Amino acid sequence: QVQLQESGPGLVQPSGTLSLTCTVSGGSISNNNWWSWVRQPPGKGLEWIGEIYFTERTNYNTSLRSRVTVSLDTSKNQFSLNLYSVTAADTAIYYCARRGRLGESFDPWGQGTLVTVSS
Amino acid sequence: QSALTQPASVSGSPGQSITISCTGTSSDIGSYDLVSWYQQHPGKAPKLMIYEVSQRPSGISNRFSGSKSGSAASLTISGLRAEDEADYYCCSYVPGDILVLGGGTKLTVL
């Protein structure tokens, strides 16, 4: 059973870079799935950020495309998110999730990690 | 790509049925039968409840059902229980490998 776990700093300075890693266990990251990032500002709804395939093809939310990079490390069975030039509006719980095993749905999800942008 | 439209809140009494709507466009929901629904309890990660409009993953109660008509999708919960109280989100695949989510609906079990 595949499980995902996010890790990374909980506090990022404004104008800095938010960097998170998602570790996949119970299955290989090098299979026919997309590996995605979704975020949720406190008290608000979910927003899809972007994703990567094992071939390193990527897809991004058009509203974040200029500031986002998702990358893959197959040797560690991990994928990562970098969000550049962050502001307080990027404060959110960040989730990683697998997409593609069941239709185009996200399943499973990581537990999420809160990242606060503040000086 | 605009977010899908969901009602902010719905409510129902135990044992009743409720339906949550999710309205999109011909560019998202109307394009493919690739709508999914997620349940999120406070402080928890979202959980997949429905995929491909009406399919239930293994382990999901048949009290949860989904449907679609044109550019709108719906999630119906029958035999409402206290543990169904949560936020629910719809999601649609958009041609070009884009995913768009709804704003979320808070379900209150009275």
Side-chain angles (χ1 to χ4, degrees):
Chain A
Q1 179 177 346
V2 170
Q3 294 183 311
L4 291 80
Q5 176 69 59
E6 305 87 352
S7 59
L11 181 64
V12 180
Q13 300 271 356
S15 77
T17 298
L18 182 158
S19 296
L20 296 174
T21 296
C22 182
T23 300
V24 179
S25 59
S28 174
I29 203 169
S30 299
N31 59 14
N32 190 30
N33 292 126
W34 290 89
W35 303 96
S36 304
W37 290 97
V38 178
R39 71 179 182 179
Q40 184 171 36
K44 297 186 178 181
L46 301 169
E47 179 183 35
W48 176 71
I49 299 171
E51 61 189 8
I52 191 165
Y53 199 59
F54 77 95
T55 58
E56 302 201 56
R57 174 183 167 186
T58 54
N59 298 315
Y60 298 121
N61 186 321
T62 53
S63 67
L64 296 169
R65 181 186 303 273
S66 62
R67 299 195 292 128
V68 174
T69 299
V70 179
S71 58
L72 199 64
D73 187 337
T74 56
S75 67
K76 295 181 179 179
N77 227 35
Q78 295 175 334
F79 62 106
S80 298
L81 169 70
N82 281 317
L83 181 63
Y84 308 100
S85 303
V86 297
T87 69
D90 295 309
T91 293
I93 297 173
Y94 286 77
Y95 296 99
C96 57
R98 178 182 64 180
R99 180 177 78 84
R101 189 181 77 83
L102 296 176
E104 301 297 345
S105 64
F106 299 108
D107 177 67
W109 296 62
Q111 66 182 30
T113 187
L114 174 63
V115 180
T116 301
V117 178
S118 176
S119 55
Chain B
Q1 188 66 40
S2 300
L4 306 174
T5 300
Q6 298 181 234
S9 63
V10 299
S11 62
S13 299
Q16 288 185 332
S17 294
I18 64 94
T19 296
I20 298 172
S21 62
C22 174
T23 304
T25 68
S26 58
S27 298
D28 40 61
I29 292 178
S31 291
Y32 297 113
D33 288 341
L34 293 173
V35 176
S36 52
W37 289 90
Y38 304 87
Q39 176 192 66
Q40 185 181 35
H41 286 112
K44 300 295 186 181
K47 176 183 178 182
L48 176 66
M49 306 301 285
I50 296 286
Y51 67 98
E52 290 181 347
V53 174
S54 61
Q55 302 302 305
R56 282 186 305 276
S58 174
I60 299 303
S61 169
N62 59 9
R63 297 188 301 107
F64 292 84
S65 62
S67 64
K68 191 189 96 166
S69 178
S71 300
S74 296
L75 172 71
T76 297
I77 308 174
S78 59
L80 210 55
R81 298 177 180 175
E83 59 261 37
D84 298 333
E85 185 163 295
D87 294 327
Y88 290 84
Y89 294 89
C90 59
C91 179
S92 177
Y93 174 85
V94 178
D97 285 323
I98 301 295
L99 281 299
V100 61
L101 288 143
T105 298
K106 181 177 180 59
L107 168 62
T108 300
V109 180
L110 302 171

